[in-house]
Amino acid sequence: MINQHGLTIRASIKDGKEDELRTLLNTIGDDVIRSNKLPFQKLTTVHYMRFVMVEGRTFGQKKIAPSLFLSTNFDGPLNDHLKQIVEVAGEGLDLIYEHCVGYPEPGKANSANRIAYLQKHKIRTTTFYTGTRGRSVAQIPQEESLFDRIGSGLLNKRSWKGEEPNDIFKAIKAYVHTTKGLEWAKKLSKPFPLQYYLAYYGQLLAVVLLLLFLVIGLLPITAPFVLAWYLTLHYHEKHDTRKDQLIPMKRDQILARREDILIQNQMTHLVDVKPGFFRLYTLKFVLWAVGFLGKYYWNKGELGGIPTIHFARWVLLDGGKRLLFFSNFDGSWQNYLGDFIDKAAVGLTGVWSNTINFPKTTNLIYAGAKAEEPFKRWARFYQIPTQVWYTAYPNISVQNVNNNSKVRERIGGKSTSESMADWLRRF
Amino acid sequence: MSQQPEAEITLELGDIQGVITQGYGKFPNSRYLLLEIKDVDATKKWLSSIADTIVDSEWKELGDYAANVSFTFLGLKKLGLNQETCDLFSREFKEGIATDHRQRLLGDRGKSSPEHWKWGGNNGEKHFNKNPIIHIIWTLFGLNEEHINKLYEEHAKEIEAGGMIIHNKLDGLTLKDRKEHFGFRDGISQPIIKGSGMKEAEHNTVNAGEFLFGYINGYEEIPLSPTMPKELDPKDILPSLDSKNPGGPKDFGKNGTYMVYRQLSQDVVGFWEYMDQQADGDEEKRIRLASKMVGRWPSGAPLAKYPDKDPMKAPDSKVSNDDDFGYAAEDAMGDKCPFGSHLRRNNPRDAMPNTSDAKTSRDIVNRHRMIRRGRAYGKPIVDTMHSSDILKSPAAGQDMGLHFVCFNTNIARQFEFVQHTWVNDPKFHGLYNDPDPVMGEPDPELKGKKASFTIQQAPVREEVRDIPRFVEVIGGEYFFTPGIRAIKYLASL
Ligand code: HEM
């Protein structure tokens, strides 16, 4: 098992360089697999990677330059990941970041100063979610091939009618043990290191203790605080106004140009947070809660009941003025948004009700996304094009990844309470 | 963009075109005429003359024929529908059925690409072929071929006098025992429109707004409808968006819906040859495999209730038309009706994966239903449509298939969703490489790996691989099927 992380890098684009950069990125994005500028497939630490250009803005006195976002979902320590990016894709990075402020002059870039640049422009990922926890970039296709080969090499060869599940399992195990190229599957993948578990349960314990303390120890303070928060929310929900806007056709078509090419899709979404500190802090709390639940509760491949999300993240920008969302998912936009409404409306309404023009909500988490057409119009309106998007295993769904691991674990000898008959249903 | 019309429960049957609410079982034959408008004024006169001959949904008894009319987006524009109202149609309808993106979404690639279509595919920005632009579809239903020919002669004259060119006439048939060309009884499962007066199981009764503009849909909302300011309807033909606000906007969409029409060519011999190969020439096995793929036996009996063999009851018996079943209690594991079968994936009923219970599943699934009004075309290879006869008599190169027609108010969430997420997505239901085995597109991204089909069973599943594509698209367009008043409004422009 390996620890997966989200890296977000934000660089300001030089004045007047936006169009040039967009053209460059679009050329790369049109054919990521064959891009010779960025040999993505050699980036063995990368599950997903994207480059997105975000428009500049002015907030009051403050002017924010247009920026380039680089996001990766990666395995293992950050330093190894950065090192791999600059070593494998250094030239491509130079071509891209030449358009950005502060990047080493042409010809002067080297591994050290490229890493320094990326480190310096790294920003905090507010909330990170993974649907395939612990599985590495290499492991996911490897386990897929195990599944496929058991099917084609053994199960499809004859009828198994009337045989005992345990005997079939023995046959599968024997097949894996004697088949060239599947030796690795005799053993389980390495467990998470001890530090991982210490940190994981340590944080859980800390949160539980803090909550207990707030609820029991500090009740006289907590209760009025929560009440005041609730009344304020009520006030805002009553008085917030909204515009219902339809995305212009042209913009919609730019988004569609990159959709449904693979069975997986991506989304980049950017919307202003409602003004005022009340909404910002409510949002921060909800994002924290979603991250927490994503880690401790929705950690078996489903985010709030949605079984198609590989990785997702929320990033608060510009001191909490804007909320950026990246997602990598299986299936179409309609399916994804439909799942949001049908299965996870409460969670996502809790987040996005704090951003502008979101359909009207009640009690923070109700109504809102349940208004299907207005919600879909809102979601599409604030979606922005992703110029470059790479996925390391385009033909494998989240459900496949998680099912493959269950197949592999049993063969590798992991104990499980699942009956053998149920396990065989995984094929 | 906010529209808050009242929520009506009783349908205005007299304003709803009949083809939406009934299958015209009385009329085995049909003819679809694809028209281009040349003389707009003459066409409006024609529209005004036919508006009252169109069959609505208030029928007690049908006359001796039925006719209905629908329009493409370019057709509505050509007739002069104002820009503001045009803008309120959905993106899918405005863009047309053939776009680069939609090709991927619907699986219209390779031989099914609009480049090769015999008709349609030119209503959007990009013209995929040299087919003429279609503005109107005029659908005629009659008692037999002779009758259709006679009707056609009369109607064609009026159409030509109405300043239109008939570019295509496509014939729909009713085959023996209401089968489609692979030999399976079709047209059994259908959602019931709430408020239409038809009584059926609650879970199969769907809010009218899923199929008609102006009513509450599956999300308890009124779908966004193409409306217009009152001034644009000076003769006061259209209904008001909100009847309590007669001075407010007028609703062009009311009682209308979108009609998806795709002509699907079926490789009947290829279908049965594949089954036969997999079954090593064994008839029973061959029929069983094909039925597992369809989800019903050739007679129509559903596998979920009759898992072992085709009960072969009479075509109009309860068994052959049996639609009273779910999967959650009877077949949760897919041992009877496989997860990936055409029937189950096109309507997972109460057993949608990743839903908490049967009721939730039904609620979600019912937001992806459509009213299917397809008809077969082309002479069957053999009249019996038995696989053994089909395999004995190689097809003489004739084309046959299905005029797939369906009605829905949200093409993206209903037809396109089903076609993409349930039919073509090989990952449906947690599967791996299984698009719809009957009519799905094997994913071209899978580079040479053709489609598979998984048959769930104890102790371990059976799987067939390398399934070719049996169904190709050879024509299609998106239409709008307006309410009768809206037709009169168009005539008045
Ligand atoms: C040539 C192509 C096709 C053939 C041969 C075919 C055949 C069949 C058959 C035999 C049935 C069972 C009869 C019934 O339950 O009514 C059926 C049901 C159905 N088909 Fe198709 N079909 C085709 C295309 C399509 C398409 C393009 C769609 C939509 C995208 C579709 C959607 C459905 C639905 C929704 C059902 C009913 C499922 C249920 O409610 O249980 N079919 N089809």
Side-chain angles (χ1 to χ4, degrees), chain B residues 252-311:
Chain B
F252 179 82
K254 178 98 190 185
N255 296 317
T257 185
Y258 292 115
M259 167 176 147
V260 175
Y261 178 10
R262 285 156 72 77
Q263 188 174 1
L264 306 175
S265 169
Q266 294 175 247
D267 179 5
V268 176
V269 173
F271 180 85
W272 283 112
E273 275 176 352
Y274 177 83
M275 303 303 152
D276 200 50
Q277 248 167 31
Q278 297 300 316
D280 298 321
D282 182 288
E283 179 175 12
E284 198 185 313
K285 277 197 194 149
R286 174 211 307 145
I287 294 174
R288 179 177 170 275
L289 175 60
S291 304
K292 283 278 187 185
M293 289 185 176
V294 170
R296 289 186 185 271
W297 295 101
S299 72
L303 266 69
K305 281 175 94 163
Y306 309 91
D308 300 323
K309 63 179 205 317
D310 193 342

Side-chain angles (χ1 to χ4, degrees), chain A residues 86-102:
Chain A
V86 301
E87 279 172 8
V88 172
E91 278 175 44
L93 281 192
D94 295 353
L95 274 176
I96 292 168
Y97 282 102
E98 181 186 298
H99 301 84
C100 295
V101 180

Side-chain angles (χ1 to χ4, degrees), chain B residues 313-335:
Chain B
K313 293 284 189 272
D316 283 307
S317 66
K318 250 183 111 163
V319 175
S320 301
N321 289 330
D322 194 345
D323 198 32
D324 181 23
F325 61 92
Y327 302 107
E330 297 90 335
D331 190 22
M333 306 300 262
D335 287 5

